[in-house]
Amino acid sequence: MMVDAPVIANLEDLEPGTLFYLPSLGEGALCVAARWKHSSNGTIHAVILTETGGPSTQPGIPSAVQIERLNGNIIILGNYLANVDLKSACEVGLPKVIANRDGLYLCVIDETNNRRALMGLHDGLFVSSVPEPKLGFRAWQIVNADDPENVVWSSNVPDVVHGG
């Protein structure tokens, strides 16, 4: 019999940019692995996209938590991509994601120092600023790359468990 078994791994095995579910944070706790750009073997963080699992002090802004503070096995998601809602482009206010020629950068709160950081969704690396030209967007989503209509997560409905 053929089966479609999930890719299960240990938290310690994460590489920056990996999209994964962390069941120990609750059903549908979707995360992205990240680390600081100039720290080649530095601490890996889990950027928690769903508010149900995040300790963020600022509602609507994902938290970046050090992997050492979390536990449990993870389910790695494979062929997915992030995109923005072009109609949500903004030059003022607080965007949820910033785009430039290199990719998309998510605004997060680093729980180690309670400061804002920017994480490249394309590479999982935290940066202090996004190079120009850039533009902010208030809405973005993660979709199945093979079926873009299959939304895995959306900033418009962050705590809804979607398909995968």
Side-chain angles (χ1 to χ4, degrees):
M1 176 186 321
M2 294 180 59
V3 296
D4 186 12
V7 179
I8 300 172
N10 295 313
L11 275 168
E12 300 80 29
D13 298 333
L14 283 172
E15 292 293 324
T18 303
L19 181 65
F20 64 98
Y21 284 117
L22 181 56
S24 65
L25 292 178
E27 182 179 351
L30 187 62
C31 307
V32 179
R35 82 159 181 261
W36 285 97
K37 185 172 186 169
H38 299 293
S39 176
S40 61
N41 54 357
T43 302
I44 298 287
H45 291 70
V47 173
I48 304 167
L49 299 178
T50 50
E51 290 181 18
T52 56
S56 178
T57 56
Q58 299 184 30
I61 301 177
S63 298
V65 179
Q66 291 181 356
I67 290 294
E68 292 83 23
R69 297 191 55 218
L70 302 170
N71 58 38
N73 290 324
I74 60 171
I75 302 167
I76 296 177
L77 282 73
N79 198 18
Y80 294 86
L81 63 92
N83 60 34
V84 297
D85 177 352
L86 298 176
K87 296 177 292 209
S88 74
C90 60
E91 291 189 20
V92 295
L94 182 63
K96 293 188 179 192
V97 69
I98 298 171
N100 76 355
R101 291 181 182 138
D102 297 328
L104 301 177
Y105 295 84
L106 179 63
C107 302
V108 303
I109 298 293
D110 183 351
E111 61 91 31
T112 54
N113 56 20
N114 204 26
R115 288 186 13 206
R116 289 182 189 252
L118 297 162
M119 183 202 64
L121 287 165
H122 56 284
D123 60 9
L125 298 178
F126 290 122
V127 295
S128 56
S129 64
V130 176
E132 293 284 348
K134 64 185 175 185
L135 190 59
F137 293 86
R138 290 194 176 107
W140 69 285
Q141 64 185 5
I142 299 172
V143 299
N144 184 313
D146 297 325
D147 179 10
E149 297 300 315
N150 182 357
V151 176
V152 176
W153 184 88
S154 170
S155 64
N156 291 331
V157 280
D159 290 336
V160 175
V161 178
H162 299 285

